[in-house]
Amino acid sequence: MTMSDDRLHDLIRFYDILDVLAERIGGPRILAECTGRMRWPERGVYFFQECGENRSDSGTGLRIVRVGTHALKTGSKTTLWERLSQHRGSARTGGGNHRGSIFRLLVGTALAETNGMTIPTWGQGSSAPRPIREKEKPLEKLVSRTIGQMPFLWLDVPDRPGPESLRGYIERNAIALLSNYNRPVLDPPSSSWLGAHCNREKVRDSGLWNQDHVDESYDPAFLDELERLVLNMRRTS
């Protein structure tokens, strides 16, 4: 069996586990329809899908296009919902802050390219004065609408914040398994995938809205932990 065969086998198992997760939480949610009043675990890992991005090698259904977590710094108090809401943006204004969400930043570069928008300040600095943010607002709103329509799953992982957390282990190994960066392509992006217009090579070549861990190898044993965590989750519907 080749390394590619091993990875395909592990991808199939990964998606089988996520099917169980979807059943446990009552199916994927749409981010734009979510609020902080819903029942969210304090800490977890999330898995975003994207309409039109279908699996072709590992089975049927939508492929995962982003994996993420939060509170990987010791002492961090960010909750799962707080991180998801940073990606979603403001429900009141429709805007958002791409400087607080690398997911928004990456999607924004692709949307700017496909919509002919020139915003040289996009992704510059960790903060920006109001006049700059006002000029960026049309793209921020477009990012909010785009990410807001992406279905996603979440996994309850009740561990302490820190770089060695189980959430971090699940996140980086899931990304490494899914990534097509510098390896045989499995479940390739569609010909119309928005990420193909991102200005980051690792996004374009991995097929994911991720940059970190896409060039790493994965530990197949993480699937055992993933399965255990999913089976330990209480059904929410």
Side-chain angles (χ1 to χ4, degrees), residues 7 11 15 48-50 53-55 62-67 103 106 150 174-190 193-198 200-215:
R7 182 172 160 238
L11 267 177
Y15 280 109
F48 273 89
Q49 301 166 327
E50 193 170 347
E53 291 304 308
N54 298 304
R55 295 156 58 195
L62 297 178
R63 67 184 185 90
I64 298 300
V65 297
R66 179 176 172 84
V67 182
F103 189 13
L106 296 172
M150 292 183 182
I175 291 170
L177 169 61
L178 290 161
S179 172
N180 286 317
Y181 189 80
N182 283 347
R183 63 194 60 162
V185 174
L186 295 173
D187 289 340
S190 71
W193 183 48
L194 179 63
H197 300 277
C198 181
R200 310 297 173 92
E201 176 198 17
K202 286 186 174 180
V203 170
R204 297 192 304 269
D205 290 357
S206 69
L208 301 172
W209 293 108
N210 287 96
Q211 293 187 114
D212 294 339
H213 314 302
V214 297
D215 54 355

Side-chain angles (χ1 to χ4, degrees), residues 58-93:
S58 66
T60 59
L62 297 178
R63 67 184 185 90
I64 298 300
V65 297
R66 179 176 172 84
V67 182
T69 187
H70 59 103
L72 290 183
K73 293 183 179 179
T74 303
S76 174
K77 299 185 184 303
T78 305
T79 66
L80 174 63
W81 169 247
E82 286 170 346
R83 190 56 178 152
L84 288 170
S85 65
Q86 288 172 333
H87 296 326
R88 181 196 63 175
S90 171
R92 181 177 61 84
T93 68

Side-chain angles (χ1 to χ4, degrees), residues 152-174:
F152 72 100
L153 305 169
W154 72 92
L155 173 66
D156 185 2
V157 188
D159 62 353
R160 293 183 178 181
E164 300 306 315
S165 73
L166 182 55
R167 287 175 295 105
Y169 173 72
I170 295 296
E171 177 198 42
R172 65 178 175 268
N173 279 283

Side-chain angles (χ1 to χ4, degrees), residues 7-18:
R7 182 172 160 238
L8 178 57
H9 176 271
D10 291 337
L11 267 177
I12 292 170
R13 184 182 175 201
F14 173 80
Y15 280 109
D16 285 345
I17 295 170
L18 289 196

